[in-house]
Amino acid sequence: MKIKSILILLLSLQISLICHAEDAATATPIPQELLTGFSAVPQPTTTPFQAILTDPTGNFSLGFLRQNQNQLKLAVIHVASSEPFWVANPTRLASWAHTTRLSFNGSLVLSDSKTGVSWSTATNGHRAVLLNNSNLQVQNRATQTPIWESFHFPTNTLVQDQNLTADKSLVSSNGLYSFRLGDDFMGLYTNLNGGKRLLYWKHTAMEAKDEVKEGEGPIYARVNSEGGYLGMYQTSSKPVDVQKFSTFQQDSTTSSFLLVRLETDGNLKGYYWNGSNWMLNYEAIGETCELPNPCGSYGLCTPGGAGCSCLDNQTRFESGGCEGGGGGDLCGGRGFGGGESYRVLRRSGVEPPHKELVAHVTTASLAGCEGLCERNCSCWGVFYSNATGFCYVLDYPVGTVLGTGDGSKVGYFKVREGGEGRNRVGARVGIVVGVLVLIGVVIFGVGLCVKRLQRRRGVSGGMLKEENGHGASPGPYRNLKSASFRSIEMSVPISR
Ligand SMILES: *[C@@H]1O[C@H](CO)[C@@H](O)[C@H](O)[C@H]1NC(C)=O
Ligand SMILES: *[C@@H]1O[C@H](CO)[C@@H](O)[C@H](O)[C@H]1NC(C)=O
Ligand SMILES: *[C@@H]1O[C@H](CO)[C@@H](O)[C@H](O)[C@H]1NC(C)=O
Ligand SMILES: *[C@@H]1O[C@H](CO)[C@@H](O)[C@H](O)[C@H]1NC(C)=O
Ligand SMILES: *[C@@H]1O[C@H](CO)[C@@H](O)[C@H](O)[C@H]1NC(C)=O
Ligand SMILES: *[C@@H]1O[C@H](CO)[C@@H](O)[C@H](O)[C@H]1NC(C)=O
Ligand SMILES: *[C@@H]1O[C@H](CO)[C@@H](O)[C@H](O)[C@H]1NC(C)=O
């Protein structure tokens, strides 16, 4: 009895040792460089991040980031917080499937065996590495100098000591806002339809510092890790302007990592890493009503804590805006003759947000100001100040408006008729989905009939599969379904 139990013990010990050895073998360390011939595919069960390449400190990692269950983004993340610092911008969304692959052949290439290459560094390099500041580089063999680096293709984040030049921009992850440099200023913009941009925050180089000199090259921005500020630079390493981070300790021995990020509400925020959390230490915009669209379409933001309400005082404020909103203009006649129909909403005690950045004309009366808009289908509304005669014309959809106690400042706004709830993009997607479902139902129906016929004739499904590769009836239906999902995914962000 004793011997038997000892044997069993030894056996189980051996089994557990083998299992451990196998565990160690499968948990291969994450490489610090990728060489020609490297290739990785997403593992079906991994969520939300599959590391592919690490930096020497282990603080950062390049890998597959899983989003919305089935989407795959190639991203550099900060490991401890899982925050993505950089995301590749492919020509088409990649899916979390065995057909998707990241490889290195001199270029880092993201491809799908069904649809081809969706993103590539288009280089002929020796290796890919991740630096200890989160910069992903493809390097030359001889000199190990970078021939491609992710720092030149920022997404929504600028990490310390990364340069943002005038030809680049940060874009918020929802695509609505951007941060970019002008001739002598940094600005925050709302991205409008058709590539138009609307400036809502502007910071010009301060007089106290070096002035921006004309003809001495463009300016660039950088988070200075030694001084703890967001700086504007021209040619010299001395900044022409600094925006100090609030809680930066110059004498701190363990310098903490700094970054700025353009958030989805349009604010530019600075953070430092305290070892376990990202702590806020800079905000470009401190007052909620100064944000680009804090109360949504046709919302009214009243400074001083009153918060959001609706321009139309008959409507209760709900998050996401007050009216249907929708983009574009009111010019789309579409065979109905003239512009689209709208109703007019008037409100007193309102003024344009960021009015110092908005152009105006001067009219003798409110009627004259409204007249500029009434007959023009690319106009969405006007603001008029009785005291100054200033008339502000909105040639973009009405977002959040600023409330003021001054009743002589009035607004005139067009509201698209029948635009409540559903906007045009939503309707278009709805139609596409409807048509595709209809086609699917028809094909499915035909498929069933064909199958039934075949069964009657005694043809087996297995043979049909061999003859036609994927089988006649289920094949086309399946392909159509996957293609239609892709087209819906694509059409939404593009038409926004
Ligand atoms: C690497 O692969 C991509 C995609 O297959 C291809 O277009 C490119 O020419 C290849 N580059 C080199 C250097 O072989
Ligand atoms: C990061 O890398 C640079 C250059 O390779 C080095 O000088 C620096 O000490 C490194 N920093 C950390 C925190 O490892
Ligand atoms: C940013 O620009 C400065 C000045 O041109 C340069 O010295 C520095 O190396 C750049 N930083 C990076 C990360 O490219
Ligand atoms: C990087 O790693 C070091 C050592 O583990 C840690 O002290 C530091 O906070 C990390 N930095 C970031 C930005 O995660
Ligand atoms: C709502 O607005 C209309 C038109 O501006 C005004 O006549 C009415 O008094 C307002 N009602 C309330 C409850 O404020
Ligand atoms: C209509 O408004 C737009 C934008 O304000 C302006 O550019 C255009 O000149 C106006 N058209 C007419 C005919 O007034
Ligand atoms: C606008 O100004 C005119 C003259 O300055 C004045 O008569 C009128 O009452 C004002 N209207 C409003 C609504 O303040």
Side-chain angles (χ1 to χ4, degrees):
M1 279 304 268
K2 249 185 189 168
I3 293 171
K4 207 173 175 184
S5 63
I6 287 172
L7 269 178
I8 287 171
L9 197 85
L10 279 176
L11 200 72
S12 64
L13 203 76
Q14 201 177 348
I15 285 170
S16 78
L17 276 177
I18 289 168
C19 287
H20 272 287
E22 253 172 21
D23 273 355
T26 47
T28 47
I30 305 157
Q32 290 190 22
E33 65 174 7
L34 306 180
L35 299 169
T36 300
F38 172 86
S39 154
V41 295
Q43 299 304 308
T45 53
T46 306
T47 182
F49 185 76
Q50 180 179 331
I52 292 172
L53 177 68
T54 179
D55 83 305
T57 66
N59 280 342
F60 307 106
S61 188
L62 168 77
F64 296 136
L65 185 62
R66 193 172 192 147
Q67 285 183 336
N68 304 330
Q69 298 213 332
N70 207 24
Q71 270 175 26
L72 180 147
K73 299 265 172 79
L74 182 66
V76 172
I77 69 159
H78 174 246
V79 173
S81 66
S82 302
E83 291 287 348
F85 282 5
W86 175 85
V87 181
N89 184 19
T91 51
R92 135 172 40 78
L93 287 175
S95 56
W96 197 279
H98 66 279
T99 52
T100 300
R101 167 181 308 270
L102 177 75
S103 54
F104 185 78
N105 66 349
S107 297
L108 272 173
V109 178
L110 187 65
S111 59
D112 188 307
S113 56
K114 280 196 209 143
T115 55
V117 175
S118 64
W119 178 84
S120 160
T121 56
T123 47
N124 193 1
H126 166 55
R127 61 171 194 166
V129 289
L130 191 59
L131 303 191
N132 66 12
N133 55 8
S134 84
N135 193 4
L136 174 66
Q137 292 189 340
V138 175
Q139 294 180 341
N140 199 321
R141 179 194 293 275
T143 52
Q144 301 221 323
T145 48
I147 48 179
W148 182 94
E149 50 191 313
S150 62
F151 268 20
H152 290 172
F153 302 89
T155 49
N156 64 352
T157 304
L158 194 68
V159 304
Q160 62 181 35
D161 304 323
Q162 175 181 3
N163 297 329
L164 183 74
T165 50
D167 56 337
K168 301 283 156 51
S169 61
L170 302 185
V171 178
S172 60
S173 62
N174 55 10
L176 296 179
Y177 308 108
S178 56
F179 171 63
R180 55 183 77 227
L181 295 153
D183 293 337
D184 64 348
F185 67 92
M186 26 177 111
L188 293 172
Y189 297 82
T190 300
N191 300 331
L192 299 170
N193 280 350
K196 273 202 299 184
R197 287 195 290 271
L198 186 66
L199 185 65
Y200 63 85
W201 177 86
K202 183 177 179 180
H203 183 87
T204 310
M206 281 193 317
E207 297 292 314
K209 296 280 166 186
D210 264 6
E211 261 182 73
V212 174
K213 295 180 189 72
E214 253 181 74
E216 285 205 2
I219 61 168
Y220 62 93
R222 178 170 33 163
V223 176
N224 186 305
S225 59
E226 279 149 29
Y229 56 80
L230 173 60
M232 240 192 287
Y233 298 81
Q234 199 171 19
T235 41
S236 86
S237 59
K238 201 174 143 224
V240 290
D241 180 71
V242 302
Q243 289 179 79
K244 271 273 183 200
F245 287 178
S246 55
T247 57
F248 187 75
Q249 268 98 45
Q250 200 125 29
D251 53 9
S252 73
T253 44
T254 54
S255 59
S256 50
F257 200 84
L258 303 175
L259 58 88
V260 293
R261 184 164 75 177
L262 183 55
E263 304 290 359
T264 50
D265 64 358
N267 207 351
L268 184 71
K269 292 187 177 179
Y271 301 90
Y272 72 93
W273 179 248
N274 74 355
S276 49
N277 285 300
W278 289 106
M279 308 299 286
L280 185 71
N281 61 356
Y282 169 78
E283 270 183 308
I285 298 172
E287 170 74 47
T288 305
C289 287
E290 306 274 301
L291 290 171
N293 200 16
C295 306
S297 297
Y298 297 92
L300 178 66
C301 194
T302 310
C308 289
S309 55
C310 284
L311 269 180
D312 184 350
N313 62 11
Q314 307 293 308
T315 312
R316 243 206 12 224
F317 179 78
E318 284 167 32
S319 62
C322 299
E323 308 277 345
D329 55 34
L330 294 163
C331 299
R334 296 195 177 226
F336 296 107
E340 290 175 46
S341 61
Y342 61 86
R343 69 186 169 86
V344 167
L345 180 64
R346 288 190 175 82
R347 180 83 188 225
S348 63
V350 294
E351 61 179 357
H354 326 290
K355 66 167 186 256
E356 65 287 352
L357 302 172
V358 183
H360 64 259
V361 294
T362 306
T363 56
S365 66
L366 173 60
C369 181
E370 288 184 0
L372 291 178
C373 192
E374 208 174 343
R375 294 177 298 274
N376 188 335
C377 65
S378 55
C379 173
W380 281 93
V382 293
F383 293 94
Y384 186 69
S385 168
N386 198 33
T388 59
F390 289 176
C391 175
Y392 300 86
V393 179
L394 299 181
D395 57 356
Y396 43 87
V398 180
T400 296
V401 163
L402 209 56
T404 153
D406 185 349
S408 75
K409 292 177 173 171
V410 295
Y412 159 99
F413 309 99
K414 294 178 181 173
V415 185
R416 180 180 270 139
E417 289 278 47
E420 325 269 317
R422 269 188 149 194
N423 57 32
R424 273 202 286 174
V425 173
R428 227 180 286 156
V429 170
I431 290 168
V432 169
V433 170
V435 168
L436 287 172
V437 164
L438 201 73
I439 292 173
V441 165
V442 167
I443 289 179
F444 190 65
V446 169
L448 276 183
C449 290
V450 169
K451 243 190 183 162
R452 207 172 283 170
L453 270 174
Q454 281 160 357
R455 235 176 258 149
R456 267 192 219 157
R457 287 181 195 160
V459 180
S460 87
M463 273 186 65
L464 194 76
K465 222 172 200 165
E466 280 201 8
E467 272 172 21
N468 294 8
H470 295 290
S473 47
Y477 173 56
R478 205 191 308 124
N479 288 344
L480 181 81
K481 200 172 136 200
S482 61
S484 72
F485 274 130
R486 217 173 299 120
S487 74
I488 290 166
E489 277 169 12
M490 295 289 292
S491 73
V492 174
I494 284 170
S495 29
R496 280 197 118 186

